[in-house]
Amino acid sequence: MIKIALLSAITGHILCGVTDCLLGYSKKGRLDMKNIKDAGKMSAMFADMPLSFPLASMLLGVLAITLFSFGYIGLSAWIREFSRPAAIIMLICAALYLIPITAHHVLFGAIEWIYIRLGRTGEVRDAVLEFQKKTIAPMFAGYAGLLGFVVTLFVMIVSGGTSLPAWACIFNTLVIMILLLPTKLPAKGNIAGAIMFLGLIFLI
């Protein structure tokens, strides 16, 4: 069952990476988020963004997060064989990650959809940016939960607390994200998540 859960997580992170790109790319290419500081530049940047992109991102994003949630829950259950406290911590952190990040993903897609649908005016820009600021808490809560999960997993593996060799700690979202940060790859978090589960599926 753990292999199926990890495979589901790989699939979910890949799909979620695609949905991130639906929010970060228009028909002309990658969006430059620096442009949101200027109403005119922001309007021009989203001029070629189809309404279907943020809509698809919201709907497929929920499916993607549902799929990769099995991997986080599965890893929590697997760790239980070695440490009950660590398993409980990871399960709580998984919930703190998965629930808020679903809300964040939907809210962020809705912000883009509303901005485009209502004409990309300066007034609409001000409204959606205000809405974003007031609803950004789920993102911070979600990533705090993810950090707790991967740090616990890292410590368990590197300390020899599991059946995995200590070097297997490299298959960890935190480690992989540090390596990916200097790159210009899109959806880094989902790439890191997919690599973590891909590595673990061959080791567990």
Side-chain angles (χ1 to χ4, degrees):
M1 289 297 292
I2 184 64
K3 298 282 188 182
I4 295 173
L6 298 182
L7 182 60
S8 177
I10 295 167
T11 305
H13 271 300
I14 292 172
L15 179 58
C16 199
V18 172
T19 67
D20 283 350
C21 290
L22 287 173
L23 294 177
Y25 285 80
S26 70
K27 290 183 177 180
K28 286 186 176 180
R30 192 168 187 171
L31 304 180
D32 185 353
M33 289 299 111
K34 294 178 182 178
N35 289 335
I36 66 173
K37 296 177 183 178
D38 183 279
K41 289 181 179 179
M42 182 172 171
S43 179
M45 180 174 70
F46 281 96
D48 294 299
M49 171 74 83
L51 274 172
S52 59
F53 279 21
L55 184 61
S57 178
M58 284 186 281
L59 297 176
L60 292 176
V62 172
L63 172 61
I65 295 169
T66 301
L67 286 172
F68 67 61
S69 68
F70 291 110
Y72 291 92
I73 296 169
L75 277 181
S76 301
W78 176 76
I79 285 288
R80 188 185 179 94
E81 300 176 24
F82 312 100
S83 170
R84 181 182 173 86
I88 293 172
I89 292 171
M90 287 175 65
L91 187 59
I92 292 172
C93 286
L96 291 175
Y97 168 51
L98 296 166
I99 296 171
I101 213 65
T102 303
H104 169 66
H105 196 94
V106 172
L107 287 168
F108 204 83
I111 287 168
E112 282 198 9
W113 190 90
I114 291 168
Y115 176 68
I116 298 166
R117 181 65 181 81
L118 296 185
R120 310 188 321 276
T121 65
E123 185 178 359
V124 173
R125 169 189 171 273
D126 292 342
V128 296
L129 290 181
E130 180 183 354
F131 181 71
Q132 181 186 31
K133 290 178 182 178
K134 291 183 177 180
T135 59
I136 203 167
M139 182 187 76
F140 293 117
Y143 286 127
L146 176 61
L147 181 62
F149 183 96
V150 297
V151 167
T152 304
L153 179 62
F154 181 89
V155 170
M156 283 296 297
I157 294 175
V158 80
S159 66
T162 72
S163 58
L164 299 180
W167 60 261
C169 68
I170 63 172
F171 292 109
N172 186 287
T173 298
L174 181 60
V175 175
I176 299 165
M177 270 297 294
I178 291 172
L179 296 174
L180 291 179
L181 278 176
T183 74
K184 293 184 178 180
L185 288 171
K188 293 182 182 70
N190 282 298
I191 292 173
I195 293 173
M196 178 179 79
F197 286 107
L198 181 62
L200 292 175
I201 203 172
F202 291 108
L203 295 170
I204 292 178

